[in-house]
Amino acid sequence: AQTVTQSQPEMSVQEAETVTLSCTYDTSESDYYLFWYKQPPSRQMILVIRQEAYKQQNATENRFSVNFQKAAKSFSLKISDSQLGDAAMYFCAYRSSAFFYGGSQGNLIFGKGTKLSVKP
Amino acid sequence: DTGVSQDPRHKITKRGQNVTFRCDPISEHNRLYWYRQTLGQGPEFLTYFQNEAQLEKSRLLSDRFSAERPKGSFSTLEIQRTEQGDSAMYLCASSLDGQGNEAFFGQGTRLTVV
């Protein structure tokens, strides 16, 4: 079974600075998707960025980028130029690509999350 | 379309009572998922539907939990004979079939069993 581990329960960053959130996962599959989701207080979870395991190039979305190390099974999120609105819980999640061949539920497997605080 | 909506947002119930939550997915999404999130944890998968078919329910926490999606549109999650351990946030998500498609989440229903 796949597992996702986020070893940083809380992180803090100064506004305009850069912060990196860590995520490791365990799987025997070679093809899968990885996601970072953001959950602001009392708000719904929204997708920040996704990475296909078969792509070597790291995904980037504006101020958000990932460092995907497939061999090490590591998937960290870097937030540049941090803003007050970035304060939230961040969840790393895994989804098997077998979903696309009808062999899996397609559900997400989440880590426990990292609470990010942004100091003005 | 305003996204995935869940009702109610908050529910307080006495132990032993039955509760039902509703989820309205994004209209064209054929996949619908239910998750449970307890304090300090990430969401935990419970069950999912493709259209009206419930294709996975082995992860439902006990036989007190059941879910339906009768016409392939909205879904309900029912918990019978609630226990204090059922207190949690219940999240619904929907998506389209297809590689890498994003799952869109509702704001959740927070259940408190007293």
Side-chain angles (χ1 to χ4, degrees):
Chain A
Q2 297 86 11
T3 58
V4 176
T5 302
Q6 293 180 250
S7 58
Q8 306 155 316
E10 297 188 23
M11 290 283 284
S12 181
V13 64
Q14 203 72 34
E15 195 176 6
E17 298 292 308
T18 295
V19 64
T20 298
L21 308 184
S22 301
C23 173
T24 59
Y25 59 94
D26 190 27
T27 184
S28 59
E29 298 177 331
S30 59
D31 200 13
Y32 46 86
Y33 285 75
L34 296 165
F35 303 82
W36 279 98
Y37 275 87
K38 171 185 177 181
Q39 188 178 40
S42 302
R43 302 279 301 276
Q44 68 255 57
M45 201 170 304
I46 57 174
L47 179 67
V48 174
I49 198 165
R50 84 191 79 185
Q51 174 79 42
E52 294 94 327
Y54 62 85
K55 288 187 176 179
Q56 292 186 342
Q57 186 173 6
N58 289 325
T60 300
E61 289 286 343
N62 301 314
R63 297 182 295 107
F64 299 87
S65 62
V66 298
N67 183 4
F68 173 50
Q69 301 290 327
K70 190 173 184 179
K73 296 179 182 175
S74 171
F75 182 60
S76 61
L77 174 69
K78 186 171 81 171
I79 306 173
S80 303
D81 185 26
S82 297
Q83 300 175 359
L84 295 177
D86 294 334
M89 285 292 294
Y90 285 82
F91 291 96
C92 178
Y94 172 103
R95 186 167 75 194
S96 170
S97 71
F99 162 79
F100 310 114
Y101 305 110
S104 171
Q105 302 92 327
N107 58 286
L108 295 161
I109 299 169
F110 288 90
K112 290 187 177 183
T114 296
K115 183 178 181 181
L116 178 66
S117 302
V118 181
K119 298 179 180 178
Chain B
D1 189 278
T2 56
V4 179
S5 64
Q6 293 187 244
D7 183 70
R9 293 287 309 281
H10 303 274
K11 178 71 177 179
I12 300 174
T13 191
K14 291 183 178 180
R15 189 174 53 184
Q17 297 295 304
N18 298 344
V19 293
T20 300
F21 310 139
R22 177 179 170 125
C23 171
D24 286 90
I26 293 172
S27 57
E28 64 267 27
H29 286 184
N30 57 342
R31 289 202 171 219
L32 185 148
Y33 300 84
W34 284 99
Y35 293 83
R36 184 181 79 153
Q37 185 177 18
T38 54
L39 200 60
Q41 302 292 320
E44 172 190 18
F45 170 67
L46 295 179
T47 187
Y48 98 111
F49 294 84
Q50 181 155 351
N51 301 311
E52 67 274 11
Q54 188 175 16
L55 298 186
E56 174 59 58
K57 55 183 179 180
S58 66
R59 306 287 185 89
L60 287 168
L61 300 165
S62 78
D63 58 7
R64 298 183 296 105
F65 287 71
S66 63
E68 293 183 341
R69 193 182 183 195
K71 297 182 179 179
S73 57
F74 73 93
S75 175
T76 58
L77 177 69
E78 181 182 17
I79 309 174
Q80 296 183 327
R81 305 181 302 282
T82 52
E83 301 173 357
Q84 286 189 322
D86 297 333
S87 295
M89 176 75 83
Y90 291 85
L91 298 171
C92 176
S94 70
S95 73
L96 289 167
D97 278 337
Q99 281 188 318
N101 279 332
E102 176 182 352
F104 290 82
F105 283 81
Q107 290 185 283
T109 294
R110 181 167 295 283
L111 173 66
T112 303
V113 182
V114 297

